[in-house]
Amino acid sequence: MSLHIPDTSLSRVIVIGGGFGGIEFCKHLDTRKFQLVLFDRYNFHTFQPLLYQVATAGLEPSSIAGPLRKLFVSKKNFYFRMGEVTRIIPEKNCIQTSLGEIRYDYLVIASGTKTGFFGHDENYREVFPLKNLPQALSMRNTILRNFESALLVDDEDEKQKLLNFVIVGGGPTGVEVAGALSELQKHVLPKDYPELDFRQMRIYLIEGVDRVLSAMSEKSSRDALDALKKMGVQVILNKLVVKHDGEKAKLNDRTEIPCKTLVWAAGVTGDLITGLPASAVGKGNRFVVNEFNQVKGYENIFAIG
């Protein structure tokens, strides 16, 4: 398959990823001096901090996503291709993509992160990550479908599973999801589903350390915890969810919480592309770079974001 990108006497810069880092780099590169090619698996940019609003039906997808091409419509020598980069071949200065192979003079890796399960992916096949728009829409649809199902279930234990929501991870995403679900419980859902008793709905936020928002100040942690408790969220600290099978969440103290829906907001890992040596990769699957963001061992490969 041809990518239909013309040959040029200009140096070709390929950027992998249309997130915040990739977009900002593309905006600032002078395309009078370089040919610029941007790859992303989607043809739109997502404002990730508001994914939780889409997942909890607070915003429509179009409110947080916009076409990547529109951002660069005025740039000369710019090309966008929707495809997945599958391999970097540094010895040939080229990348393999789902659309074909293409050479670069300079490569900028801005592929970001993906959901991390601490090496135990098999234990969390039934959870809902929240890293992209399709995942947010899947979570949103499941939440609403749960309430539809709860209307028709006679078995009280099965109904409780549908009305229990477990959020793993007390960082900003987890706290925001818990708060948004509580707002839905109090102000929106009782009007939409008057036949359901939303006093039965339970929202659990589980964090592995001794406070929520642990990357922020202790005051912020206390304020957030107090607010969550006032909203009726059951916050469980110093506990880990070790498995979820779609029916119950199992904690490391052997506690079990029956639930159909578990939202995973417990951390991320670098979204690596194969081809670069292990020496170029550090903790959390992040590339090792110098002060110029050059990837260790390479002069013409950079990593940002």
Side-chain angles (χ1 to χ4, degrees), residues 129-145:
L130 200 52
K131 282 293 294 176
N132 57 48
L133 202 51
Q135 289 173 347
L137 287 170
S138 177
M139 177 179 156
R140 174 180 183 164
N141 292 338
T142 298
I143 290 172
L144 297 177
R145 192 165 58 244

Side-chain angles (χ1 to χ4, degrees), residues 24-213:
E24 284 302 308
F25 177 86
C26 290
K27 282 181 177 179
H28 287 87
L29 187 73
D30 186 350
T31 50
R32 294 171 298 179
K33 301 177 181 178
F34 299 92
Q35 184 190 71
L36 177 59
V37 183
L38 172 64
F39 281 90
D40 196 278
R41 66 188 67 179
Y42 303 113
N43 62 356
F44 54 86
H45 168 73
T46 302
F47 188 75
Q48 288 190 345
L50 289 180
L51 276 171
Y52 80 96
Q53 288 275 20
V54 173
T56 54
L59 289 174
E60 291 303 314
S62 59
S63 299
I64 70 164
L68 283 165
R69 291 178 181 277
K70 190 174 182 179
L71 294 173
F72 305 105
V73 68
S74 62
K75 263 193 179 292
K76 305 290 186 183
N77 298 315
F78 171 84
Y79 301 88
F80 171 76
R81 293 295 180 264
M82 187 176 74
E84 186 168 358
V85 177
T86 55
R87 188 173 186 84
I88 300 168
I89 310 175
E91 59 272 15
K92 293 171 59 178
N93 283 343
C94 76
I95 59 172
Q96 291 177 348
T97 80
S98 56
L99 305 173
E101 192 171 287
I102 182 172
R103 293 191 74 260
Y104 60 80
D105 293 291
Y106 299 95
L107 179 66
V108 178
I109 305 170
S111 49
T113 60
K114 62 181 180 180
T115 303
F117 296 108
F118 310 112
H120 299 287
D121 296 41
E122 68 280 0
N123 290 344
Y124 306 105
R125 298 190 188 279
E126 302 298 325
V127 309
F128 287 90
L130 200 52
K131 282 293 294 176
N132 57 48
L133 202 51
Q135 289 173 347
L137 287 170
S138 177
M139 177 179 156
R140 174 180 183 164
N141 292 338
T142 298
I143 290 172
L144 297 177
R145 192 165 58 244
N146 281 0
F147 297 130
E148 297 292 347
S149 299
L151 280 171
L152 306 175
V153 170
D154 293 323
D155 183 277
E156 288 301 317
D157 289 338
E158 192 66 20
K159 179 180 287 188
Q160 195 61 59
K161 286 181 187 178
L162 291 163
L163 295 177
N164 285 351
F165 295 88
V166 174
I167 301 125
V168 181
T173 298
V175 169
E176 287 166 340
V177 170
L181 282 174
S182 177
E183 291 291 327
L184 277 178
Q185 178 187 11
K186 288 178 172 57
H187 304 297
V188 178
L189 294 172
K191 297 175 184 177
D192 292 344
Y193 300 90
E195 299 157 86
L196 283 175
D197 181 2
F198 281 95
R199 290 174 298 181
Q200 291 181 261
M201 182 174 165
R202 300 285 183 270
I203 303 167
Y204 299 88
L205 178 64
I206 302 174
E207 169 55 50
V209 299
D210 60 357
R211 62 187 179 107
V212 298
L213 302 181

